[in-house]
Amino acid sequence: MMQKKSKSAPYYNIGQLRVEYWNKLKIETSDLRRCHKGSTNEKVHKQNVRDLLKELKGVESFFAFPGKERIQKFENAFISNEYASLAHMVAETTRQLLGDSYKSNPDFIGFDEQSMDSAEEHEQYHSIRKNHFEVLFVDNITTEDEQKLKHSLRTLRSPGDKFTYDVLIQRSFQDAMIALLFNHNIQAVVIRYAPPYYSKQITPVIKPYAEEVLKHDFSSKSETDLGPFMGELIKQFRPELDTYYVTDTALGHLKGSTIKGFNRIFYQTEDIQELHLTIIRGIAERYNTPFFSALVEYSQKPTGVFHAMPISRGNSVFKSRWIHDFGDFYGRNMFLAETSATTGGLDSLLQPTGPLKKAQEMARDAYGSLYTYFVTNGTSTANKIVMQALVKPEDVVLIDRDCHKSHHYGLVLSGAYPVYLDSYPIEEYSMYGAVPLEQIKAKLLKLKEAERLDKVKMLLLTNCTFDGLVYNVERVMEEVLAIKPDMIFLWDEAWYGFAGFAHNYRQRTGMFTANKLYKKYNSANYRRRYNEHIRGLKNGEQSSLPDPDKVRIRVYSTQSTHKTLSSFRQGSMIHIWDEDFRRKTENTFLEAYMTHTSTSPNYQMLASLDVGRRQVQLEGFELVEKSIEMAMVFRAKVNDMPQLSKYFDVLTVHDFIPDKFRQTGLKEYYSKNEGWNRMEEAWEKDEFVLDPTKITLFIGKTGVDGDTFKNKFLMDKFNIQINKTSRNTVLFMTNIGTTRGSVTYLINALLKIADALDEEFKALNDKEKEIRDKRIHSLTKEVPPLPDFSYFHPTFQAVPGVPGGHLREAYFMAYNENNYEYVPLEDCLSIMDAGRILVASTFVIPYPPGFPVLVPGQVVSDQIINFMTALDVSEIHGYRSDLGLRVFTEKALNNEKPRTPNAKRPIEKKKKQLI
């Protein structure tokens, strides 16, 4: 989780603290071993070791490894002055802990490798690769009973088990919840009876990292309710975990919510073997990958191939003298798994009934949706599928203008009328933020006033944006549903697929929020609150709460699994939480799915989606947390190292989000003087937050523009690849594959770039310095304008004076080459000043920023021309510099039946505020 860190604990999370403390202990015990007896140095190191052991004992109480027993061995060796033995044990434990080797060789945890006598023992030690995890038992038992429980469970192990586990005992509610926040290895929780509430083992070093638990006080709950309530909380914080309840409460007295809330309920008198087998079975179910396993099995079958695809089984490759290297590069398994068959143990993506169906159901459960569909053409196709499935010609869609271009093309295909929403500009860095909620509501109320609210079908927003802006999904949905209770929400989560596996992030996802609001609006408490709210409204006042009798929860999320999780390129998913799906949408959705989905999908990609789901269910919590930690480490290094901060700045929350959208006032995640700032409150309350894994580096002080920095410096010199730049920034992203080594390499590269810039600047003569200073001034002070969406020309307005444009009509009107002409960009302003209205006949999409600055039917404004003139990027889709801007001819506009009379340019400019 993300907690505020005090100066006495200057680490981002407990994992970082743990690593640092173990490394310090390793160094101190090594130094202590070499000290002369009775020397001043020995006294200093003894005190340091004593302090570190005390602190680590408190931290390690929340982990099964290295465990209390091993810590006790360290203390005994320290008290006995056995410093060499202590140093060896600490070094070995640190190596196992930091290298995660204990997870692969669990049966040898605590085993001293140097004491192995035979080669066979060494071979066995290094060959064991069982998946290992920890089971949290919550029970206020004695130390003696704890040892009996661990022994009983250990005796139930079998050599044939695919998994092994250790037991972690926590004796209070608070300790159990802290362990769940700290310990990524926990995969199952067994709550036995009713544990006491308060912890007795929270030390000062732990406290700053446990605030997510300590800020709540549930101690007033009865002992009978505390166990089941913990089960509910676990599903909020760690929903991927298996939860079990051990009780003596008679079945007749157990609440329905308790029975449904756990994977299984046991009684104390039942055999502990049944509990053990159930725990192993629960892990095996999540580990199962139906389609990947089916594909592996298929690839091993001897077959005769008489269908399409000569590449199948690798026959056309490995028998070739000319492309054999292609086969050598990818390996035989890739080709053995290639087939166009949908039987023989495999399945059809268009009508799955076997392993693909099961794989999608398991993904549904993992991501918290009602339905999940795999997509093999990327999220661009997923977006078009959802758009075509849900909206028809003349429906109205509210859409953020700077969303991915696939949504705009989806509008063309569907024939819906877009109402474009403008994100607030971040002009200093040549990028856009996100769409304020007030603007969305203002557009809706205007449509309601024009009696067009019944035509509004969908709100489409990008969450999170490429640059990391994340919406308050719950607030947006609640306030929109208060105006339009049957609104369909499409959250483009292309860059947010990982968010369901970290608590703060999860709260701002479409699926989590849909489930939460559905339960909320169907509760008696909400109905009472709504009725009180309605009674307090003045005549004609708009309710800010949705009507529970009218509201429908209809939410769709499209995710680029391949962008942030483990999947082959173009592997994506559509997640659906739509209570009306079966009744209203399933048929049209499946038609759209078949329209856009290949009849020959890539099986390797589908298998990767299946395996990626397994990964996030079993280690997503850990991997996402580590990716955030890596981003925070990078932020700290750039801030703290003078050579880096001389040329580079990591843009902060304050840089990205105006004050009025940050209700908690959080300005930055890290500063050199104050350390880490608290984040969870901002993620709970603020209208917008910044995803810390998106790191925007301001490079204006280098005098090098973003595109040049990306190619000439990062790629050409260091082979560092990034996706996005702006005029004066470059964007780095951490993900579940980011390692400490890769972050270190990036910092090393930036330091070398900074050193090279030092040398280059020293060598400049006066004239060259003047040129350099002008470049820096341009990149840091001369801010090009960022245009808003102007408006649709009256010819393409759905209804005069009302938001909504006929994008499809304008798009296809340009299929006739007689309807458009080219105007040189440098001539546009003078032509517009002379009174002609220029109307775009095509999408114009500069990269960056990567979204349309003009769409077909849109009136060209002064601001748009100024923006395009100031652009220093070479890639602009829909625009050719040698020809100019492609616009509709005046004759074409005049011949087209107008929806409102044409007007002179000054009058059109007034309409901009309305449309």
Side-chain angles (χ1 to χ4, degrees), residues 267-280:
Y267 285 86
Q268 177 66 15
T269 55
E270 293 178 330
D271 191 349
I272 197 169
Q273 177 173 288
E274 192 67 20
L275 175 60
H276 164 77
L277 294 174
T278 303
I279 290 170
I280 293 293

Side-chain angles (χ1 to χ4, degrees), residues 727-746:
R727 187 166 173 269
N728 52 18
T729 69
V730 292
L731 175 68
F732 299 103
M733 291 181 285
T734 59
N735 55 50
I736 64 170
T738 304
T739 63
R740 287 184 174 86
S742 58
V743 173
T744 303
Y745 179 66
L746 174 58

Side-chain angles (χ1 to χ4, degrees), residues 406-418:
S406 59
H407 294 295
H408 302 276
Y409 287 114
L411 288 165
V412 171
L413 293 173
S414 69
Y417 296 147

Side-chain angles (χ1 to χ4, degrees), residues 8 42 52 60 288 301 379 381 404 413 486 500 589 676 689 692 703 733 748 755 771 800 807 824 832:
S8 60
E42 184 189 50
L52 284 167
E60 295 303 329
N288 180 30
K301 290 181 179 179
T379 304
T381 293
H404 190 266
L413 293 173
D486 60 346
F589 180 88
W676 302 105
V689 291
M733 291 181 285
N748 176 271
D755 290 342
I771 294 171
L807 183 64
M832 293 157 62

